[in-house]
Amino acid sequence: MAFWNRRRSIDAMIAPHDGHALKKTLSWPHLLALGVGAIVGTGILTLIGVGAGLAGPAVMISFALAGLVCACAALAYAELSTMMPAAGSAYTYSYAVLGELIAWVVGWSLILEYSLVVSAVAVGWSGYAVGFLNGMGVDLPLALTVGPHVAGGVLNLPAVAIIAVVTGLLLLGTRESATVNAILVVIKIVALIAFVAIALPAFNEANFTPFMPNGFGAPFVQTGVMAAAAIIFFAFYGFDAISTAAEETKRPERDLAIGIVGSMLICTALYLVVAAAAIGARPVASFADSPEPLALILREMGQGTAAQWIAASAVVALPTVLLAFLFGQSRIFLGMARDGLLPRRLAKVSARGVPAVVTIFTAVVVAILAGVMRLDELASLANAGTLAAFFAVGLSLVVLRVRDPNRPRVFKAPLWPVVGAITMIGCVVFFLSLQAKTQLWFLVWNVVGLVIYFAWSSRNSRLARGEEVEG
């Protein structure tokens, strides 16, 4: 095959291999908690305000549309991850099905996605942490709580600090960090259920009128339901972090599907209920610009104590998202380094079974981004990388079903042509609904990536050096 079209063999990929290995310590409860921990976070606790500002009460439809596309992508992920239980997620599937060049673009896009998600969530966490400390009578200097995009801001120190804490936890080991994650996920879910219970008695259907003040929107239109869905998409896609844990799962043929599909079902239902309760309790305009919209709604309802508890739960539990995505990012790097597309020394695994070098490197990069950038900019650009990865997964599902229909599949996506089509079409429409500058920066990022690929990676991959048989 040509260098750009050479593919990894699925059989060689899943066969036992020598070299750096990750420990199999995770089962389906860990994966389910990892998925819910990654999905339920900044999207519902913070970005609900951004989405409501774009779509009004019709942000409910935005949640449903984003959830539909992500549900189809989740089914595609579930099928492919159980067939190829190796670190690397969409990058790995693309390498086996679509070829090396597309795999590089997908992997490079995933690096963008995971790095910016961690940065965005750290900024969202900082907003809740500062609000919580203010409620406790502790006022941090403005210069140390926001980046330079705000007058008087220098560095978002709380965002940098929480990344450092989560990185330390990950370096302890996969099982240890997964156990802490599961505990924090329970706290987060209980807090959201409590918010719904408090907000529902104040439900006012008048807050849903006008329901769609900015219209439905369309590609290239940066307001309305579609624009909000393109941003809120950020709130759903944590489930792909589960697929990066495939190599560390005890029974990947069963547990991956449970974790991916189960976490999506739980979180979609939870999101719709929380969004309805929030809009019903207060007019959209009152919380659209808040960095802590749920806590603000409770304070405006006169529930100051409950608001403080919501802020406290966010401060405690939002790091689960950081943990999941820092975990996933290091495994993407690991997969690309093993394949020779990145320097192989990055694939070094510590005695605790953790890719320590790439974990620390990733933490430093995302801490810098979190310290100086705005939440909405981070979330929007992260979405662009995710949409590229999801499109590739949808395409890989369809191509592999056509090319190799008899290959054993432990989990089969139902109605696979529909699932693949919705995933791909939805990703294209959402991408075109992102801000023009986001699309431009995504293009710039991938141009830089292609320069690196053609200059170095295309000649140093394992397939290029003949170290592995092509598929």
Side-chain angles (χ1 to χ4, degrees):
M1 295 182 185
F3 76 93
W4 58 271
N5 193 38
R6 54 195 174 211
R7 302 194 306 267
R8 290 196 66 195
S9 164
I10 296 177
D11 295 325
M13 183 190 306
I14 62 179
H17 59 83
D18 297 327
H20 307 293
L22 299 173
K23 294 181 179 179
K24 294 185 179 295
T25 59
L26 304 178
S27 53
W28 71 262
H30 295 110
L31 297 180
L32 195 61
L34 183 69
V36 173
I39 298 170
V40 178
T42 301
I44 191 65
L45 292 170
T46 301
L47 285 182
I48 185 176
V50 176
L54 292 171
V59 71
M60 294 286 296
I61 299 178
S62 303
F63 271 108
L65 288 173
L68 173 63
V69 174
C70 285
C72 290
L75 291 171
Y77 265 97
E79 177 169 320
L80 295 173
S81 66
T82 51
M83 291 176 67
M84 294 173 265
S89 186
Y91 155 77
T92 297
Y93 317 146
S94 299
Y95 209 162
V97 181
L98 304 176
E100 186 174 280
L101 180 59
I102 295 179
W104 169 266
V105 171
V106 171
W108 194 245
S109 297
L110 283 171
I111 290 173
L112 177 71
E113 171 202 341
Y114 280 60
S115 299
L116 294 184
V117 166
V118 172
S119 302
V121 173
V123 173
W125 178 88
S126 175
Y128 271 92
V130 171
F132 174 72
L133 291 174
N134 287 342
M136 299 290 289
V138 179
D139 294 321
L140 297 177
L142 177 66
L144 297 180
T145 58
V146 291
H149 59 275
V150 175
V154 176
L155 177 70
N156 194 328
L157 188 58
V160 174
I162 192 60
I163 289 173
V165 171
V166 172
T167 301
L169 179 60
L170 282 172
L171 293 176
L172 287 177
T174 298
R175 186 175 180 84
E176 292 82 357
S177 56
T179 300
V180 173
N181 175 73
I183 296 170
L184 297 182
V185 165
V186 172
I187 294 173
K188 187 160 51 177
I189 299 300
V190 169
L192 290 177
I193 293 173
F195 169 81
V196 172
I198 295 170
L200 275 182
F203 190 90
N204 183 358
E205 61 184 32
N207 292 338
F208 286 83
T209 304
F211 183 68
M212 201 180 293
N214 298 323
F216 191 79
F220 305 109
V221 177
Q222 273 78 54
T223 59
V225 170
M226 288 303 301
I231 291 293
I232 285 172
F233 183 79
F234 178 92
F236 281 95
Y237 58 66
F239 66 84
D240 64 334
I242 297 173
S243 64
T244 66
E247 194 173 321
E248 292 152 278
T249 302
K250 295 177 181 177
R251 296 184 60 187
E253 70 282 356
R254 180 198 66 176
D255 296 346
L256 288 170
I258 294 174
I260 292 171
V261 178
S263 61
M264 266 302 301
L265 292 175
I266 292 170
C267 294
T268 300
L270 188 62
Y271 276 12
L272 290 174
V273 172
V274 171
I279 296 168
R282 299 295 299 171
V284 165
S286 69
F287 64 85
D289 297 324
S290 173
E292 43 163 4
L294 300 188
L296 176 64
I297 289 169
L298 292 178
R299 280 196 291 270
E300 291 189 348
M301 291 172 58
Q303 299 284 348
T305 301
Q308 191 69 357
W309 279 108
I310 288 290
S313 68
V315 170
V316 171
L318 267 181
T320 60
V321 186
L322 298 177
L323 189 148
F325 279 93
L326 269 175
F327 175 93
Q329 171 69 303
S330 63
R331 274 60 180 177
I332 300 295
F333 267 122
L334 179 68
M336 296 180 75
R338 278 177 173 172
D339 295 338
L341 294 176
L342 291 175
R344 299 191 192 189
R345 60 181 173 273
L346 292 176
K348 185 178 180 180
V349 176
S350 72
R352 303 186 69 92
V354 176
V357 176
V358 295
T359 299
I360 295 172
F361 173 76
T362 301
V364 171
V365 172
V366 299
I368 293 172
L369 293 174
V372 301
M373 288 187 71
R374 289 168 41 183
L375 173 62
D376 57 344
E377 293 175 342
L378 288 166
S380 184
L381 192 52
N383 281 1
T386 307
L387 290 168
F390 280 17
F391 181 92
V393 170
L395 180 59
S396 295
L397 171 73
V398 173
V399 170
L400 198 57
R401 282 287 191 122
V402 173
R403 179 194 296 158
D404 196 356
N406 297 320
R407 176 171 288 276
R409 289 167 170 83
V410 179
F411 176 89
K412 291 186 177 181
L415 301 173
W416 62 267
V418 177
V419 166
I422 291 177
T423 301
M424 289 185 284
I425 293 171
C427 287
V428 171
V429 172
F430 284 164
F431 181 83
L432 296 178
S433 298
L434 291 171
Q435 298 176 11
K437 65 179 180 180
T438 299
Q439 298 168 0
L440 176 61
W441 278 113
F442 179 72
L443 178 62
V444 170
W445 172 260
N446 273 292
V447 168
V448 172
L450 288 173
V451 170
I452 294 172
Y453 173 76
F454 287 117
W456 189 85
S457 301
S458 63
R459 297 196 300 270
N460 287 279
S461 71
R462 289 174 59 86
L463 291 183
R465 291 176 175 270
E467 297 174 18
E468 186 175 311
V469 179
E470 294 184 33

